[in-house]
Amino acid sequence: MFMLRNILHLPRASARSTAAFTAFTTTTATTTTRSLSTTAGNTPPPSSSSSPPPRTLLTKNQNVHSNMSLSKSWRNKPLFRRQGDVRFRTGLEASRLLVAEANRRDGHESQFISSVTSVMSTLNPIFERNPRYAFVAKQLMEPERMIQFRVPWLDDTGVIRMNRGYRIQYSSSLGPYEGALHFGSHVNSNTIKSLAFDAVFSNGLTGYTIGAAVGGSDINPFDKSEAEIQRFCQSFMTELVKYVGPDLDLPTMGMGVGEKEFGYLAGQHKRISIKSSSGGRPFLAASCPEAPGVGVVHFANEMMKDKGDSLQGKRCLIIGAGKVARSVAAKLLEFGAIPLTFSDSSGHVYEPNGIDQAKLKTIDKIKDERGALLGRYVIASTTAQFNDPQNILDVPCDLCFPCAAMNDITEEAATKLADNGCMAVVEGGYSTVTPEGRTILKKRGLAYGPHTLTMTGSVIKSAIKPNAGDDVFASEIARIYKDTKNTAQEFNARGDLYVGANISGFLRVANAMLAHGAV
């Protein structure tokens, strides 16, 4: 590259050197195009002088492998124009400038800053190959619309209670908004913005024409009565209905939002909205609440197959006991794996010989009761160990599925898992692994399935036919996994699914944004 730049800056070049340089660049471009077609998972057609190889996700729209003149022109443009023009020379410098700008504008939102920092660090190769994408990333750091509203409701004693509601419609570049609703005391504008930013890449990498949005409220649904939750959900939807609807924004189930909560939301929307369906499908139809958990296991299966292994006989540590955790356990049993644990605020239960279908049915019955704690399970089981060992991560396992709180797998937790012989960590929740935890997993050689990739189950299920079987669902997951894997390999990050997922999702969204202009 240094030699090429020197050639470009020569005041005069001989005819022989010019011809040599032209031949070199032509050969390089041809080799690059063939390489991209192969790594993107597409078999190139037979060579023909009249038809060039088809372009893939990584080569269309201005070409990720930008030519020298285009690259130089965009590097000369100021990325920011504040107290003097700010330019960058390398992809790493571009990502650092973008993170610094995010800190300047939203430094108080620590969770969002963490997401931006993690994602931008994976996009360095794109900014290096085509600097124009850095300008798109700058635009993408700001959501299209942020909505915050109050949610008043009456508790069982007749007292007016107040909560905050949120909906961040982050990007509609690929299609109508779609994304989860989360209820929990941990929910705030910082959390929602962070999850919405991640959803842009998560929804984008699936290849479907859907945008990204996330919303929710800071209510704790687990210490409320059924009547209180119904009144809250009706109040919440009465305000949210102004901003969501068929072909506009499709909310889906998330943390703390199960079938009951979703049913109350759907009923209130149908009650006050004229249009409550699209294409013959009811709006807010919770047709497959187990889709996220099933998707997590299918991705884990693809990861095992990639290593020449399978889920059969694998001892699996599950953190959490919500709907996703339990659907993960049910699907693991179908693959012949052995779920070992569940956990909630009361502690964790550990079955040394595994949790079978009968035991899982008992746990389902307990946890389906609002506010019920997992400790009750030890009464029904003679083999279960409650909070023994004291730390759930001390349980020896082959695979770990964190399906509970955000930032559960810290640097210390990742180290403990590696020390206990864990092979892989597959996220079954949103942002359950911290950036420091990811670093340890990579350093210790553990496979890592990021939520950006693994938590796309509900999006996939809503995009394919509602009555599509598990084989169709699995084939779509295999396609997305292969795209992600090949993208990571193309950008010199072989085996890093986090890098592959972010780059793949970003390119799809960024290419659409380039076509739309300054919007």
Side-chain angles (χ1 to χ4, degrees):
M1 183 63 72
F2 178 76
M3 293 179 63
L4 290 180
R5 285 176 179 158
N6 285 344
I7 292 174
L8 287 175
H9 284 86
L10 285 174
R12 183 183 298 177
S14 66
R16 181 179 298 177
S17 63
T18 302
F21 176 70
T22 304
F24 171 78
T25 52
T26 303
T27 304
T28 302
T30 304
T31 305
T32 299
T33 304
R34 289 174 181 169
S35 171
L36 281 168
S37 298
T38 304
T39 55
N42 299 324
T43 304
S47 58
S48 171
S49 56
S50 59
S51 59
R55 289 188 166 188
T56 67
L57 166 70
L58 305 184
T59 58
K60 66 183 181 182
N61 289 344
Q62 297 285 333
N63 193 347
V64 170
H65 293 273
S66 177
N67 61 57
M68 191 73 67
S69 59
L70 179 62
S71 174
K72 185 177 179 181
S73 68
W74 278 98
R75 287 186 200 278
N76 287 335
K77 295 178 185 292
L79 184 60
F80 298 106
R81 310 198 74 172
R82 186 182 65 257
Q83 297 177 351
D85 292 349
V86 180
R87 296 178 173 84
F88 63 92
R89 296 181 180 181
T90 66
L92 178 61
E93 189 176 350
S95 65
R96 286 175 176 172
L97 287 173
L98 291 167
V99 171
E101 177 66 7
N103 271 293
R104 185 188 72 85
R105 301 182 64 166
D106 302 305
H108 60 287
E109 298 177 330
S110 58
Q111 192 73 36
F112 175 68
I113 294 299
S114 177
S115 292
V116 170
T117 303
S118 298
V119 170
M120 291 303 163
S121 66
T122 65
L123 302 183
N124 294 340
I126 298 180
F127 304 152
E128 189 72 44
R129 298 185 188 190
N130 190 336
R132 186 176 186 181
Y133 283 106
F135 293 81
V136 181
K138 176 182 71 172
Q139 190 175 340
L140 193 59
M141 289 196 304
E142 192 67 27
E144 293 179 7
R145 188 175 296 110
M146 297 178 63
I147 303 157
Q148 179 176 315
F149 51 91
R150 68 182 181 188
V151 186
W153 55 282
L154 286 175
D155 66 15
D156 289 340
T157 64
V159 175
I160 297 178
R161 305 282 289 275
M162 195 74 65
N163 287 96
R164 285 180 175 175
Y166 306 93
R167 188 67 175 174
I168 296 185
Q169 297 171 330
Y170 210 103
S171 172
S172 59
S173 298
L174 294 176
Y177 303 107
E178 182 172 335
L181 290 175
H182 305 295
F183 290 170
S185 55
H186 66 286
V187 172
N188 52 43
S189 59
N190 177 24
T191 303
I192 295 297
K193 190 175 180 181
S194 170
L195 294 173
F197 179 75
D198 288 341
V200 174
F201 306 93
S202 185
N203 290 1
L205 76 90
T206 63
Y208 304 127
T209 54
I210 56 173
V214 171
S217 177
D218 59 355
I219 188 174
N220 180 5
F222 302 112
D223 61 359
K224 307 293 186 297
S225 71
E226 207 64 40
E228 287 176 329
I229 287 296
Q230 180 172 342
R231 287 193 291 270
F232 169 82
C233 289
Q234 289 173 342
S235 179
F236 181 84
M237 180 52 72
T238 299
E239 181 65 24
L240 187 66
V241 72
K242 302 172 184 176
Y243 313 103
V244 303
D247 305 320
L248 172 63
D249 185 350
L250 175 62
T252 59
M253 288 186 288
M255 294 179 285
V257 179
E259 288 184 85
K260 290 182 178 179
E261 292 84 359
F262 212 65
Y264 297 145
L265 294 169
Q268 183 69 359
H269 182 275
K270 184 173 68 71
R271 181 183 184 185
I272 60 181
S273 178
I274 296 175
K275 186 178 181 181
S276 58
S277 65
S278 177
R281 297 178 62 180
F283 182 64
L284 297 179
S287 56
C288 191
E290 69 276 4
V294 173
V296 168
V297 178
H298 275 302
F299 276 114
N301 186 50
E302 292 296 324
M303 293 170 66
M304 290 295 101
K305 288 196 299 183
D306 208 26
K307 293 180 176 294
D309 205 343
S310 72
L311 290 173
Q312 181 72 35
K314 295 293 184 294
R315 294 173 63 83
C316 301
L317 184 76
I318 299 176
I319 302 175
K323 60 184 184 298
V324 174
R326 285 176 280 140
S327 59
V328 164
K331 196 64 181 177
L332 284 172
L333 288 172
E334 292 183 22
F335 277 98
I338 306 171
L340 298 173
T341 62
F342 283 111
S343 65
D344 63 10
S345 58
S346 67
H348 65 271
V349 293
Y350 168 41
E351 287 279 8
N353 296 322
I355 298 171
D356 57 22
Q357 291 286 2
K359 294 174 181 177
L360 181 59
K361 187 175 181 180
T362 302
I363 293 173
D364 277 334
K365 186 175 181 180
I366 293 171
K367 294 302 293 183
D368 281 341
E369 182 181 336
R370 187 176 300 281
L373 296 177
L374 198 58
R376 285 170 47 184
Y377 171 71
V378 296
I379 302 175
S381 173
T382 58
T383 57
Q385 298 176 199
F386 185 66
N387 290 340
D388 181 22
Q390 189 172 2
N391 188 335
I392 189 174
L393 298 176
D394 287 329
V395 176
C397 65
D398 299 311
L399 304 174
C400 176
F401 294 85
C403 306
M406 298 172 68
N407 301 319
D408 251 0
I409 307 300
T410 60
E411 181 178 0
E412 180 183 355
T415 301
K416 189 179 288 290
L417 286 170
D419 290 342
N420 289 337
C422 185
M423 300 166 51
V425 175
V426 185
E427 287 190 288
Y430 297 94
S431 299
T432 56
V433 180
T434 65
E436 297 78 15
R438 283 196 296 269
T439 301
I440 293 297
L441 294 178
K442 186 173 183 179
K443 183 178 180 181
R444 297 292 297 271
L446 277 71
Y448 169 53
H451 77 274
T452 314
L453 174 67
T454 60
M455 291 297 288
T456 54
S458 59
V459 172
I460 297 170
K461 198 67 177 179
S462 66
I464 61 180
K465 294 180 180 179
N467 58 350
D470 190 61
D471 55 339
V472 177
F473 190 46
S475 66
E476 281 295 283
I477 286 176
R479 172 188 64 81
I480 294 169
Y481 178 84
K482 185 177 180 180
D483 286 348
T484 303
K485 173 190 168 184
N486 289 340
T487 301
Q489 182 176 336
E490 158 62 19
F491 285 89
N492 302 320
R494 183 190 296 271
D496 194 329
L497 298 176
Y498 183 67
V499 172
N502 286 336
I503 290 180
S504 183
F506 173 78
L507 285 175
R508 284 196 172 96
V509 175
N511 288 334
M513 293 175 68
L514 286 172
H516 295 163
V519 296

